[in-house]
PDB file of all heavy atoms in Angstrom:
ATOM      1  N   PRO A 343      10.260  21.675  22.554  1.00 40.00           N
ATOM      2  CA  PRO A 343      10.909  21.019  23.698  1.00 40.00           C
ATOM      3  C   PRO A 343      11.758  21.998  24.487  1.00 40.00           C
ATOM      4  O   PRO A 343      12.335  22.923  23.945  1.00 40.00           O
ATOM      5  CB  PRO A 343      11.777  19.944  23.036  1.00 40.00           C
ATOM      6  CG  PRO A 343      12.009  20.442  21.637  1.00 40.00           C
ATOM      7  CD  PRO A 343      10.765  21.199  21.262  1.00 40.00           C
ATOM      8  N   SER A 344      11.813  21.755  25.773  1.00 39.00           N
ATOM      9  CA  SER A 344      12.637  22.604  26.634  1.00 39.00           C
ATOM     10  C   SER A 344      14.088  22.174  26.538  1.00 39.00           C
ATOM     11  O   SER A 344      14.414  21.158  25.936  1.00 39.00           O
ATOM     12  CB  SER A 344      12.149  22.494  28.085  1.00 39.00           C
ATOM     13  OG  SER A 344      12.214  21.144  28.507  1.00 39.00           O
ATOM     14  N   LEU A 345      14.955  22.951  27.137  1.00 36.00           N
ATOM     15  CA  LEU A 345      16.387  22.656  27.103  1.00 36.00           C
ATOM     16  C   LEU A 345      16.631  21.306  27.764  1.00 36.00           C
ATOM     17  O   LEU A 345      16.123  21.040  28.851  1.00 36.00           O
ATOM     18  CB  LEU A 345      17.158  23.742  27.852  1.00 36.00           C
ATOM     19  CG  LEU A 345      18.687  23.677  27.725  1.00 36.00           C
ATOM     20  CD1 LEU A 345      19.111  23.967  26.300  1.00 36.00           C
ATOM     21  CD2 LEU A 345      19.317  24.669  28.685  1.00 36.00           C
ATOM     22  N   PRO A 346      17.367  20.381  27.102  1.00 41.00           N
ATOM     23  CA  PRO A 346      17.619  19.071  27.701  1.00 41.00           C
ATOM     24  C   PRO A 346      18.280  19.199  29.058  1.00 41.00           C
ATOM     25  O   PRO A 346      19.071  20.102  29.315  1.00 41.00           O
ATOM     26  CB  PRO A 346      18.550  18.396  26.687  1.00 41.00           C
ATOM     27  CG  PRO A 346      18.334  19.145  25.407  1.00 41.00           C
ATOM     28  CD  PRO A 346      18.008  20.543  25.800  1.00 41.00           C
ATOM     29  N   ALA A 347      17.932  18.262  29.926  1.00 43.00           N
ATOM     30  CA  ALA A 347      18.512  18.294  31.271  1.00 43.00           C
ATOM     31  C   ALA A 347      20.020  18.154  31.229  1.00 43.00           C
ATOM     32  O   ALA A 347      20.741  18.715  32.069  1.00 43.00           O
ATOM     33  CB  ALA A 347      17.889  17.168  32.108  1.00 43.00           C
ATOM     34  N   SER A 348      20.504  17.390  30.210  1.00 38.00           N
ATOM     35  CA  SER A 348      21.952  17.221  30.113  1.00 38.00           C
ATOM     36  C   SER A 348      22.662  18.528  29.824  1.00 38.00           C
ATOM     37  O   SER A 348      23.831  18.695  30.163  1.00 38.00           O
ATOM     38  CB  SER A 348      22.278  16.199  29.018  1.00 38.00           C
ATOM     39  OG  SER A 348      21.735  16.638  27.784  1.00 38.00           O
ATOM     40  N   ALA A 349      21.944  19.464  29.182  1.00 36.00           N
ATOM     41  CA  ALA A 349      22.577  20.743  28.867  1.00 36.00           C
ATOM     42  C   ALA A 349      22.709  21.623  30.093  1.00 36.00           C
ATOM     43  O   ALA A 349      23.509  22.553  30.121  1.00 36.00           O
ATOM     44  CB  ALA A 349      21.780  21.471  27.786  1.00 36.00           C
ATOM     45  N   LEU A 350      21.899  21.342  31.131  1.00 37.00           N
ATOM     46  CA  LEU A 350      21.951  22.183  32.328  1.00 37.00           C
ATOM     47  C   LEU A 350      23.281  22.055  33.048  1.00 37.00           C
ATOM     48  O   LEU A 350      23.648  22.915  33.848  1.00 37.00           O
ATOM     49  CB  LEU A 350      20.802  21.795  33.275  1.00 37.00           C
ATOM     50  CG  LEU A 350      19.386  21.991  32.697  1.00 37.00           C
ATOM     51  CD1 LEU A 350      18.345  21.521  33.708  1.00 37.00           C
ATOM     52  CD2 LEU A 350      19.162  23.454  32.318  1.00 37.00           C
ATOM     53  N   SER A 351      24.002  20.944  32.751  1.00 38.00           N
ATOM     54  CA  SER A 351      25.287  20.774  33.438  1.00 38.00           C
ATOM     55  C   SER A 351      26.306  21.793  32.986  1.00 38.00           C
ATOM     56  O   SER A 351      27.337  21.969  33.621  1.00 38.00           O
ATOM     57  CB  SER A 351      25.826  19.357  33.177  1.00 38.00           C
ATOM     58  OG  SER A 351      26.038  19.168  31.793  1.00 38.00           O
ATOM     59  N   PHE A 352      26.025  22.463  31.852  1.00 35.00           N
ATOM     60  CA  PHE A 352      26.965  23.473  31.365  1.00 35.00           C
ATOM     61  C   PHE A 352      26.732  24.835  32.019  1.00 35.00           C
ATOM     62  O   PHE A 352      27.496  25.756  31.810  1.00 35.00           O
ATOM     63  CB  PHE A 352      26.847  23.620  29.842  1.00 35.00           C
ATOM     64  CG  PHE A 352      27.424  22.450  29.113  1.00 35.00           C
ATOM     65  CD1 PHE A 352      26.607  21.441  28.660  1.00 35.00           C
ATOM     66  CD2 PHE A 352      28.781  22.357  28.899  1.00 35.00           C
ATOM     67  CE1 PHE A 352      27.134  20.367  27.986  1.00 35.00           C
ATOM     68  CE2 PHE A 352      29.323  21.278  28.220  1.00 35.00           C
ATOM     69  CZ  PHE A 352      28.490  20.278  27.780  1.00 35.00           C
ATOM     70  N   LEU A 353      25.654  24.992  32.758  1.00 36.00           N
ATOM     71  CA  LEU A 353      25.401  26.272  33.406  1.00 36.00           C
ATOM     72  C   LEU A 353      26.417  26.478  34.525  1.00 36.00           C
ATOM     73  O   LEU A 353      26.886  25.508  35.144  1.00 36.00           O
ATOM     74  CB  LEU A 353      23.974  26.296  33.971  1.00 36.00           C
ATOM     75  CG  LEU A 353      22.870  26.209  32.906  1.00 36.00           C
ATOM     76  CD1 LEU A 353      21.519  26.160  33.577  1.00 36.00           C
ATOM     77  CD2 LEU A 353      22.966  27.394  31.949  1.00 36.00           C
ATOM     78  N   PRO A 354      26.762  27.726  34.809  1.00 39.00           N
ATOM     79  CA  PRO A 354      27.769  27.981  35.857  1.00 39.00           C
ATOM     80  C   PRO A 354      27.341  27.393  37.187  1.00 39.00           C
ATOM     81  O   PRO A 354      26.196  27.525  37.599  1.00 39.00           O
ATOM     82  CB  PRO A 354      27.831  29.513  35.916  1.00 39.00           C
ATOM     83  CG  PRO A 354      27.333  29.965  34.577  1.00 39.00           C
ATOM     84  CD  PRO A 354      26.313  28.961  34.162  1.00 39.00           C
ATOM     85  N   THR A 355      28.268  26.688  37.823  1.00 42.00           N
ATOM     86  CA  THR A 355      27.955  26.047  39.099  1.00 42.00           C
ATOM     87  C   THR A 355      28.632  26.733  40.273  1.00 42.00           C
ATOM     88  O   THR A 355      28.289  26.477  41.420  1.00 42.00           O
ATOM     89  CB  THR A 355      28.410  24.579  39.071  1.00 42.00           C
ATOM     90  OG1 THR A 355      29.819  24.547  38.839  1.00 42.00           O
ATOM     91  CG2 THR A 355      27.701  23.826  37.944  1.00 42.00           C
ATOM     92  N   GLY A 356      29.596  27.539  39.971  1.00 41.00           N
ATOM     93  CA  GLY A 356      30.303  28.213  41.068  1.00 41.00           C
ATOM     94  C   GLY A 356      31.312  27.332  41.756  1.00 41.00           C
ATOM     95  O   GLY A 356      31.931  27.730  42.733  1.00 41.00           O
ATOM     96  N   ASP A 357      31.465  26.070  41.247  1.00 44.00           N
ATOM     97  CA  ASP A 357      32.429  25.159  41.859  1.00 44.00           C
ATOM     98  C   ASP A 357      33.788  25.412  41.230  1.00 44.00           C
ATOM     99  O   ASP A 357      33.977  25.195  40.044  1.00 44.00           O
ATOM    100  CB  ASP A 357      31.979  23.712  41.609  1.00 44.00           C
ATOM    101  CG  ASP A 357      32.819  22.736  42.423  1.00 44.00           C
ATOM    102  OD1 ASP A 357      33.839  23.169  42.972  1.00 44.00           O
ATOM    103  OD2 ASP A 357      32.423  21.559  42.487  1.00 44.00           O
ATOM    104  N   ALA A 358      34.751  25.859  42.007  1.00 44.00           N
ATOM    105  CA  ALA A 358      36.076  26.188  41.476  1.00 44.00           C
ATOM    106  C   ALA A 358      37.060  25.062  41.663  1.00 44.00           C
ATOM    107  O   ALA A 358      38.248  25.248  41.498  1.00 44.00           O
ATOM    108  CB  ALA A 358      36.606  27.454  42.153  1.00 44.00           C
ATOM    109  N   GLN A 359      36.549  23.865  42.073  1.00 53.00           N
ATOM    110  CA  GLN A 359      37.459  22.763  42.308  1.00 53.00           C
ATOM    111  C   GLN A 359      37.706  22.009  41.018  1.00 53.00           C
ATOM    112  O   GLN A 359      36.891  21.987  40.111  1.00 53.00           O
ATOM    113  CB  GLN A 359      36.874  21.809  43.353  1.00 53.00           C
ATOM    114  CG  GLN A 359      36.671  22.467  44.713  1.00 53.00           C
ATOM    115  CD  GLN A 359      36.068  21.507  45.712  1.00 53.00           C
ATOM    116  OE1 GLN A 359      35.721  20.394  45.392  1.00 53.00           O
ATOM    117  NE2 GLN A 359      35.948  21.979  46.950  1.00 53.00           N
ATOM    118  N   ALA A 360      38.787  21.277  40.943  1.00 61.00           N
ATOM    119  CA  ALA A 360      39.158  20.414  39.830  1.00 61.00           C
ATOM    120  C   ALA A 360      39.113  21.171  38.522  1.00 61.00           C
ATOM    121  O   ALA A 360      38.356  20.856  37.614  1.00 61.00           O
ATOM    122  CB  ALA A 360      38.232  19.197  39.766  1.00 61.00           C
ATOM    123  N   ILE A 361      39.916  22.199  38.422  1.00 60.00           N
ATOM    124  CA  ILE A 361      40.030  22.966  37.183  1.00 60.00           C
ATOM    125  C   ILE A 361      41.488  23.092  36.825  1.00 60.00           C
ATOM    126  O   ILE A 361      42.366  22.860  37.658  1.00 60.00           O
ATOM    127  CB  ILE A 361      39.385  24.367  37.317  1.00 60.00           C
ATOM    128  CG1 ILE A 361      40.111  25.177  38.392  1.00 60.00           C
ATOM    129  CG2 ILE A 361      37.902  24.265  37.597  1.00 60.00           C
ATOM    130  CD1 ILE A 361      39.614  26.586  38.503  1.00 60.00           C
ATOM    131  N   GLY A 362      41.750  23.456  35.577  1.00 64.00           N
ATOM    132  CA  GLY A 362      43.146  23.615  35.184  1.00 64.00           C
ATOM    133  C   GLY A 362      43.210  24.043  33.749  1.00 64.00           C
ATOM    134  O   GLY A 362      42.298  24.656  33.221  1.00 64.00           O
ATOM    135  N   GLY A 363      44.319  23.699  33.071  1.00 60.00           N
ATOM    136  CA  GLY A 363      44.476  24.031  31.669  1.00 60.00           C
ATOM    137  C   GLY A 363      45.506  25.111  31.471  1.00 60.00           C
ATOM    138  O   GLY A 363      45.871  25.847  32.397  1.00 60.00           O
ATOM    139  N   GLU A 364      46.007  25.214  30.249  1.00 58.00           N
ATOM    140  CA  GLU A 364      47.001  26.209  29.898  1.00 58.00           C
ATOM    141  C   GLU A 364      46.346  27.576  29.781  1.00 58.00           C
ATOM    142  O   GLU A 364      45.312  27.724  29.137  1.00 58.00           O
ATOM    143  CB  GLU A 364      47.663  25.841  28.570  1.00 58.00           C
ATOM    144  CG  GLU A 364      48.672  24.703  28.691  1.00 58.00           C
ATOM    145  CD  GLU A 364      49.897  25.138  29.470  1.00 58.00           C
ATOM    146  OE1 GLU A 364      50.491  26.181  29.137  1.00 58.00           O
ATOM    147  OE2 GLU A 364      50.249  24.433  30.436  1.00 58.00           O
ATOM    148  N   PRO A 365      46.961  28.646  30.423  1.00 58.00           N
ATOM    149  CA  PRO A 365      46.392  29.989  30.255  1.00 58.00           C
ATOM    150  C   PRO A 365      46.661  30.509  28.852  1.00 58.00           C
ATOM    151  O   PRO A 365      47.637  30.141  28.213  1.00 58.00           O
ATOM    152  CB  PRO A 365      47.142  30.801  31.314  1.00 58.00           C
ATOM    153  CG  PRO A 365      48.445  30.093  31.471  1.00 58.00           C
ATOM    154  CD  PRO A 365      48.151  28.635  31.284  1.00 58.00           C
ATOM    155  N   ALA A 366      45.766  31.340  28.351  1.00 56.00           N
ATOM    156  CA  ALA A 366      45.925  31.937  27.023  1.00 56.00           C
ATOM    157  C   ALA A 366      45.573  33.402  27.138  1.00 56.00           C
ATOM    158  O   ALA A 366      44.793  33.802  27.996  1.00 56.00           O
ATOM    159  CB  ALA A 366      45.017  31.249  26.005  1.00 56.00           C
TER     160      ALA A 366
END
Side-chain angles (χ1 to χ4, degrees):
S344 58
L345 189 67
S348 58
L350 298 178
S351 61
F352 288 98
L353 296 177
T355 60
D357 190 349
Q359 298 179 355
I361 62 175
E364 284 291 308

